[in-house]
Amino acid sequence: MSDMNTQAVARYRNNFLKEVEERVEDGHWVRMCMQCGVCAGSCPLGPHWEHSPQKIFMMIRAGKREEVLTSDAMWMCTSCYNCIVRCPRKLPITHIMHGLAHYSHRLGLAPKGQPTREIAKLFWDSLVKTGRVNELKFSLAMYFKDGFGQGIKNAMAMQGVGLGLVKAGRLNPMEILGGHACKDKGGIQKMIAKAQEIENRKKGLTA
Amino acid sequence: MTASIPTNQTILVVGGGISGMTAALEAAECGKEVILVEKTPTLGGRTAQLYRYFPKMCHPTCGLEINEKRLRGNPRIRVMTMTEVTAVAGRRGDYKVNLKVSPRYVTAACTACGDCGKAVSAEVPDAFNYGLAKVKAAYLPHPMAYPQRYVIDPSIVGTPDGEAAKAACKAGAVDLGMQEETAEISVGAIVWATGWRPFDANKIQPYGYDRIANVITSVEFERLADPHGPTGGKLLRPSDGKEARNVAFIQCAGSRDENYLRHCSRICCMASLKQTQYVREAYGEGENGAKSTVYYIDIRAIDRFEDFYAKVWQDPTVSFVKSKVARIAENKENGNPVLHGVNTEGYHRYATEHDLVVLAVGMEPEVTGVKLPEDVIQDSSNFIEGSRDGGMFGAGAASSPLDVNRAVQSATAASLRAIQVIRKTASTEAA
Ligand SMILES: Cc1cc2nc3c(=O)[nH]c(=O)nc-3n(C[C@H](O)[C@H](O)[C@H](O)COP(=O)(O)OP(=O)(O)OC[C@H]3O[C@@H](n4cnc5c(N)ncnc54)[C@H](O)[C@@H]3O)c2cc1C
Ligand code: SF4
Ligand code: SF4
């Protein structure tokens, strides 16, 4: 377990709701939920994950810290916004789910090998390194994340799409050789570092 | 009725539902002069459109009949139907009010024999039945209408149907030359008893009220249950006229929702609990008997209504699912609505078919979207709280979503405040 997690546990003890309110993006909305269940019933991914937003919000209030932060639920959210549109209390559910995902990731509690999380990590790493996302490397990394054999299969399956992108000038095969960065790579990196510093300060996180 | 001239000693009551009637009667029985204006052709309001009312399950006739009797016996109240307030000027103790009276085309000579109705052939949507049925274009608004006087729909004036109605009337009460009239009156205090209207269910897109025939509203269900209603009191569903034995009630349809009505409409939980008993009475217990399912967030049976709730909870024909339904689809084969959602007790996903779905629609103030005098204070849901000058008052469902009993209490309170304004005005003038 990360230091950040140990510190959080020490700081908030049994008050997980307070932790969420202070540290999770839009977390202060959680207490507004009236447990009507319309978000749970509206989510297209509903049958495929363990916890619906409604359930997650109740678990937060019940102090089920471990279960919430290790849940795969917030990683399954596709940002369809169905729940936000229907929530009678206007909770920004999608945003809270992403906030929870982000927080659990920072604490090192997010489920290992969860595909959405892996993709998000690849995307982010590529972005931080060069200031832009290298489409080719990103796609290849995605295909091969489950091993070489599966990677070849995935790449073959997506061949048509890839060629189409190349033809349209959206994908440059030469990018495999390093790929180009944005003009001010250092500037972007500084900007991200600053943003992280502000976020940590605001949320009382030390990393 | 006396033709006394309204002065600032007169109280104006706007809206002739159970609340307006009560406010007017209480003031008049205290010796005050009252003008009661009602925009439709009859008093009674939406109470008259209920089949029966909780908690005692009595017919609306009970409450209305006695009030109509009190009205008939009281010379201090002037009832003006088909009348609307178009402007209010002045202030507490001294208001000038403009009224607009629409033509009824039938005079006070009408004996309500119904000959005109028999003579015409044109039909218009029946407002009393929320448009579920049609009515002849010369009609009595409903059996308990007050005054007991027919109305001729403007659409047949100037047509052979209009002339036929006139010819048929032995009392000579049909006057097709009637015109819209205006009047200006002076009053000292105003009670707004303008009531409520059902929230427009079309706005709740996921429930498909506009697309699925067998999704109806709670006010429509009252009409289906009523022997005076479009099905003669049989619970038949709209798509195919089949008996609706397996009925779903969806609570908070529009209410308690920041997207629609912010407030809890307070009566709709009780209304659905009551309506489960209509289903029970129609089909009884047993294998192929009544089956009601109430989908709810939480049941709000206020105060002593809890007893009613407890009784329905015991009823084997009724079950409860703690869930705000996410959406309704339609089984194209049999026309059954299919409810989708998650039961929050145990987090079970469901897709359940019913014969008929009743949306327990919220109560919205009838004056939503209507321009009221500037001085009137309304809350965030448009319910009338009063006025800055202290001379105008909200009463009944115009002031808050209230059941009949509470609406009547609220009207009595408003009446008392109006009387106080009149008394103060009188004493300052005397001094
Ligand atoms: C589905 C359903 C079932 C219900 N069942 C029950 C029940 O079983 N028991 C119970 O106690 N309550 C019940 N209620 C609540 C009940 O209907 C209300 O308490 C009652 O109608 C309130 O009466 P009111 O006079 O305040 O308003 P209304 O009945 O709405 O009367 C208002 C009157 O004012 C008139 N008006 C409106 N605007 C103007 C204007 N600008 N100028 C002139 N006139 C105007 C209207 O035409 C109407 O006649 C139910 C409600 C619903 C939705
Ligand atoms: S829709 Fe909103 S109020 Fe209802 S359970 Fe979900 S978050 Fe809570
Ligand atoms: S009374 Fe019941 S159905 Fe009506 S808004 Fe309130 S909780 Fe919902």
Side-chain angles (χ1 to χ4, degrees):
Chain A
M1 245 179 227
S2 69
D3 283 354
M4 204 191 276
N5 187 43
T6 323
Q7 283 164 9
V9 172
R11 177 167 174 165
Y12 292 101
R13 294 175 191 275
N14 291 329
N15 201 339
F16 183 42
L17 175 61
K18 189 160 180 236
E19 180 177 349
V20 169
E21 286 178 331
E22 288 182 4
R23 291 185 157 187
V24 172
E25 184 115 35
D26 279 326
H28 60 279
W29 276 97
V30 169
R31 68 169 66 220
M32 287 302 290
C33 169
M34 64 169 160
Q35 290 292 299
C36 72
V38 90
C39 54
S42 302
C43 178
L45 269 295
H48 307 292
W49 63 13
E50 203 187 341
H51 307 118
S52 65
Q54 169 225 358
K55 202 169 175 184
I56 287 276
F57 300 156
M58 197 59 202
M59 286 160 71
I60 292 173
R61 299 204 291 219
K64 302 214 175 281
R65 186 175 190 276
E66 181 85 21
E67 287 96 319
V68 170
L69 293 174
T70 57
S71 171
D72 74 339
M74 43 283 192
W75 298 96
M76 299 284 277
C77 170
T78 59
S79 309
C80 76
Y81 283 82
N82 237 355
C83 55
I84 289 200
V85 168
R86 290 185 189 162
C87 173
R89 288 279 174 95
K90 285 218 162 135
L91 268 78
I93 304 167
T94 313
H95 306 166
I96 306 170
M97 294 305 267
H98 292 325
L100 282 169
H102 178 65
Y103 186 58
S104 72
H105 172 73
R106 287 210 65 182
L107 295 185
L109 294 176
K112 304 267 165 331
Q114 208 289 331
T116 320
R117 184 184 181 213
E118 294 303 318
I119 288 168
K121 262 167 47 186
L122 287 169
F123 193 95
W124 179 251
D125 291 345
S126 175
L127 185 81
V128 176
K129 217 182 275 163
T130 61
R132 63 188 294 279
V133 176
N134 184 319
E135 297 262 1
L136 190 60
K137 284 190 181 171
F138 176 58
S139 331
L140 287 178
M142 222 165 76
Y143 297 161
F144 286 91
K145 77 176 173 46
D146 297 324
F148 188 74
Q150 187 59 41
I152 297 289
K153 267 191 216 152
N154 291 342
M156 296 298 280
M158 295 301 284
Q159 208 176 21
V161 177
L163 286 174
L165 284 171
V166 172
K167 265 194 213 138
R170 301 297 309 255
L171 196 69
N172 181 356
M174 300 314 279
E175 290 276 312
I176 198 79
L177 311 165
H180 71 286
C182 74
K183 278 192 200 121
D184 184 9
K185 201 163 71 175
I188 292 266
Q189 282 162 355
K190 267 195 219 149
M191 206 168 74
I192 292 172
K194 185 72 190 172
Q196 251 163 4
E197 185 197 311
I198 295 171
E199 187 195 6
N200 288 347
R201 184 163 16 93
K202 275 196 181 158
K203 296 185 179 166
L205 292 163
T206 43
Chain B
M1 253 181 266
T2 54
S4 62
I5 299 155
T7 67
N8 56 12
Q9 287 298 295
T10 305
I11 295 170
L12 171 66
V13 178
V14 189
I18 192 82
S19 304
M21 289 165 88
T22 303
L25 283 163
E26 297 294 354
E29 287 171 6
C30 283
K32 300 296 163 204
E33 296 296 325
V34 180
I35 295 183
L36 175 57
V37 306
E38 163 58 48
K39 71 173 174 185
T40 71
T42 174
L43 301 185
R46 299 202 186 264
T47 310
Q49 288 168 287
L50 302 175
Y51 165 40
R52 294 204 273 159
Y53 58 119
F54 62 73
K56 291 197 210 146
M57 300 298 263
C58 34
H59 294 268
T61 356
C62 313
L64 290 176
E65 225 166 43
I66 182 154
N67 280 324
E68 291 180 2
K69 188 158 172 263
R70 279 163 83 191
L71 268 179
R72 262 179 238 115
N74 201 311
R76 291 202 172 82
I77 305 179
R78 188 151 114 212
V79 177
M80 300 176 72
T81 51
M82 304 190 75
T83 304
E84 275 175 89
V85 173
T86 50
V88 175
R91 69 197 133 73
R92 175 194 162 105
D94 185 18
Y95 294 108
K96 293 269 177 299
V97 180
N98 290 90
L99 302 175
K100 185 186 86 180
V101 188
S102 302
R104 178 191 274 267
Y105 304 109
V106 178
T107 69
C110 171
T111 59
C113 68
D115 286 347
C116 55
K118 287 184 206 113
V120 309
S121 50
E123 290 184 323
V124 291
D126 184 1
F128 179 63
N129 281 313
Y130 288 101
L132 293 174
K134 295 216 156 184
V135 68
K136 286 286 188 67
Y139 62 99
L140 192 64
H142 57 78
M144 268 183 305
Y146 185 99
Q148 279 281 314
R149 200 195 300 178
Y150 270 62
V151 193
I152 290 185
D153 194 83
S155 64
I156 63 162
V157 174
T159 71
D161 251 345
E163 295 306 325
K166 188 177 161 68
C169 181
K170 293 187 201 75
V174 174
D175 174 5
L176 298 170
M178 261 188 207
Q179 298 292 325
E180 180 183 297
E181 283 171 33
T182 56
E184 193 193 78
I185 56 170
S186 301
V187 296
I190 304 176
V191 174
W192 293 91
T194 39
W196 60 281
R197 65 174 171 236
F199 180 72
D200 177 8
N202 281 319
K203 291 186 182 157
I204 316 170
Q205 190 271 342
Y207 289 169
Y209 175 73
D210 56 342
R211 307 184 292 279
I212 307 171
N214 295 324
V215 175
I216 66 169
T217 65
S218 49
V219 291
E220 289 168 343
F221 195 67
E222 289 289 332
R223 300 316 308 140
L224 292 190
D226 192 339
H228 295 296
T231 53
K234 294 211 172 72
L235 302 179
L236 308 177
R237 67 181 198 174
S239 72
D240 50 12
K242 197 184 113 178
E243 288 183 338
R245 291 168 182 266
N246 177 355
V247 183
F249 296 89
I250 298 187
Q251 298 312 111
C252 306
S255 308
R256 297 175 71 191
D257 194 326
E258 294 288 337
N259 302 297
Y260 310 117
L261 301 175
R262 303 192 65 210
H263 58 271
C264 165
S265 294
R266 217 187 272 141
I267 54 89
C268 17
C269 276
M270 276 302 289
S272 291
L273 293 174
K274 170 185 73 172
Q275 292 178 344
T276 64
Q277 300 305 294
Y278 298 169
V279 188
R280 186 198 165 84
E281 277 158 28
Y283 304 116
E285 280 179 35
E287 188 66 11
N288 197 27
K291 194 169 176 300
S292 296
T293 313
V294 182
Y295 295 83
Y296 68 104
I297 304 175
D298 32 45
I299 296 287
R300 294 183 166 175
I302 47 174
D303 303 349
R304 62 198 168 85
F305 290 155
E306 189 75 19
D307 297 344
F308 194 97
Y309 175 31
K311 205 184 108 222
V312 175
W313 186 269
Q314 298 295 327
D315 184 340
T317 71
V318 186
S319 49
F320 292 84
V321 178
K322 186 164 168 55
S323 167
K324 183 169 173 71
V325 174
R327 70 186 172 90
I328 304 177
E330 186 180 30
N331 179 338
K332 296 278 182 227
E333 256 145 54
N334 55 16
N336 284 352
V338 189
L339 274 52
H340 292 269
V342 168
N343 182 343
T344 65
E345 285 179 319
Y347 302 97
H348 301 298
R349 203 159 285 281
Y350 58 79
T352 314
E353 275 192 37
H354 297 272
D355 295 337
L356 182 72
V357 173
V358 178
L359 303 177
V361 285
M363 288 166 99
E364 172 173 60
E366 180 71 58
V367 292
T368 300
V370 174
K371 205 178 161 293
L372 292 179
E374 213 140 281
D375 210 44
V376 170
I377 305 166
Q378 285 167 281
D379 70 11
S380 64
S381 295
N382 294 317
F383 289 105
I384 298 173
E385 293 182 338
S387 68
R388 282 172 201 86
D389 69 358
M392 295 190 266
F393 309 96
S399 68
S400 179
L402 298 173
D403 57 78
V404 171
N405 182 30
R406 284 175 179 78
V408 167
Q409 287 174 4
S410 145
T412 308
S415 193
L416 186 57
R417 291 194 199 101
I419 292 171
Q420 287 167 354
V421 170
I422 298 291
R423 280 189 66 108
K424 274 201 193 117
T425 316
S427 56
T428 22
E429 276 178 6

